[in-house]
Amino acid sequence: MGARWSAVLHVGAGVDPAPLHAALAAAVAEVEAQMTTRRAESDLMRLNRAGPDRWIDLPEHLVEVLAAGLAIGQASGGAFEIGMGDAVAAWGFSGAAADPGRIRAALKEPRRPACEVLELDCANRRARKHGPLALDLCGIAKGYGVDRLAETARAFGIGSALMSIDGELRALGPRPGGQPWAVAVERPDPGQRAAHAVLALESGAVATSGDYRHWVDLGGRRLSHTMDPRRGAPLAASPASVTVLAPRCMEADAWATALMVLGREEGAALARRLGLSVLFLERDGAGLAETAIGPGFAA
């Protein structure tokens, strides 16, 4: 998925780490094989190629992520939208260069939300589309990959671990001795890597979406990778970053994207209504303005 994974784990003396490492690598490889748009043979791309009104059998994990993506899309009022695959590819965020012709098509494309076009049959692990729809799970699949790492470690009896893919992390219990994991909230500066703040994470997940790490340069203008579902284009304006705490990394990942799209004012109001723990960072001259919401970011 264009990112690296890591796992810091504490195991008992004499335990052979090789089977654990192999199982963790297999878990993220499975997520990629099912959910990436960078491989034509992935299960997601197979669904994207399918014609309308045809049931397509899918793996259990992919169905779970599609269902979560649709649910968060509706809960966010459409700010999180998994049906943006054409726009993501057109603007150069799927591994290939931006394509002006495809950009123009994406901007003009009338859009129906994925929840109106994609039908899921979770019990039978299948899906069908009722119209044109290009799915992209870049705002949720990496978080789910982190959850799969945590589930795999737990199956080996691991009770102390910190898993990550890109900017998404999940703690599986505290460090040995009961101390929390120290997780940095990065300063949203494209020119350097520095911590803005440090979170004490004992369990649960954290994800950050921002405008400072992944972008394309188009005509001398830097455009963030976060897409505006209303326009079929990168966000014209957004917070510098949004960090979300949640029990599962899949939810933290998706909500960080949704709240970037909504912006600080509307996003903060929704976060308060839903009881989310969120930190908005916005540029304020040479400094940063914080908006902290929820118990996870209480002073």
Side-chain angles (χ1 to χ4, degrees):
M1 293 181 285
R4 294 182 178 182
W5 66 274
S6 70
V8 179
L9 310 106
H10 291 264
V11 298
V15 174
D16 181 4
L20 174 59
H21 182 277
L24 293 169
V28 290
E30 181 182 45
V31 172
E32 181 169 38
Q34 293 182 16
M35 303 180 201
T36 186
T37 58
R38 292 171 178 255
R39 296 183 182 183
E41 71 275 15
S42 75
D43 293 290
L44 181 68
M45 294 303 288
R46 180 166 55 86
L47 176 60
N48 278 341
R49 289 192 297 270
D53 300 316
R54 175 187 169 198
W55 284 110
I56 303 297
D57 293 328
L58 298 172
E60 178 182 4
H61 295 310
L62 177 54
V63 172
E64 181 181 358
V65 173
L66 289 171
L70 294 179
I72 294 173
Q74 290 180 292
S76 66
F80 185 75
E81 174 54 61
I82 61 175
M84 296 293 294
D86 60 321
V88 171
W91 288 90
F93 294 113
S94 289
D99 184 321
R102 295 176 71 185
I103 288 173
R104 288 190 291 270
L107 290 170
K108 294 178 181 177
E109 181 71 22
R111 296 190 177 276
R112 294 172 59 195
C115 61
E116 294 182 2
V117 182
L118 182 66
E119 181 182 357
L120 293 181
D121 179 356
C122 296
N124 293 299
R125 300 177 187 174
R126 60 181 187 167
R128 63 178 173 180
K129 301 180 294 184
H130 297 292
L133 182 65
L135 295 159
D136 183 280
L137 299 175
C138 63
I140 192 170
K142 289 177 186 176
Y144 185 75
V146 175
D147 290 331
R148 291 288 297 124
L149 286 171
E151 290 163 7
T152 301
R154 187 183 286 117
F156 275 77
I158 303 296
S160 178
L162 184 67
M163 315 296 192
S164 70
I165 298 178
D166 218 359
E168 286 68 63
L169 299 96
R170 180 169 170 181
L172 191 63
R175 298 171 66 94
Q179 294 300 310
W181 298 92
V183 176
V185 175
E186 195 171 22
R187 183 176 177 84
D189 185 345
Q192 63 177 335
R193 288 190 178 274
H196 170 76
V198 177
L199 302 176
L201 194 65
E202 294 188 5
S203 63
V206 59
T208 296
S209 184
D211 67 356
Y212 57 97
R213 284 285 169 256
H214 303 294
W215 70 82
V216 293
D217 192 320
L218 203 62
R221 185 182 178 192
R222 194 182 74 190
L223 299 172
S224 167
H225 73 294
T226 303
M227 305 300 292
D228 184 346
R230 297 159 293 192
R231 298 172 52 243
L235 289 173
S238 71
S241 71
V242 178
T243 299
V244 177
L245 292 167
R248 298 183 66 193
C249 203
M250 175 172 65
E251 284 83 7
D253 191 8
W255 277 112
T257 299
L259 297 174
M260 276 286 289
V261 172
L262 289 172
R264 196 261 314 160
E265 185 173 347
E266 189 177 354
L270 179 60
R272 290 188 180 99
R273 288 200 302 272
L274 297 179
L276 301 176
S277 289
V278 184
L279 177 66
F280 291 87
L281 294 182
E282 297 179 287
R283 294 183 181 89
D284 183 12
L288 292 168
E290 289 189 1
T291 301
I293 297 161
F297 290 102

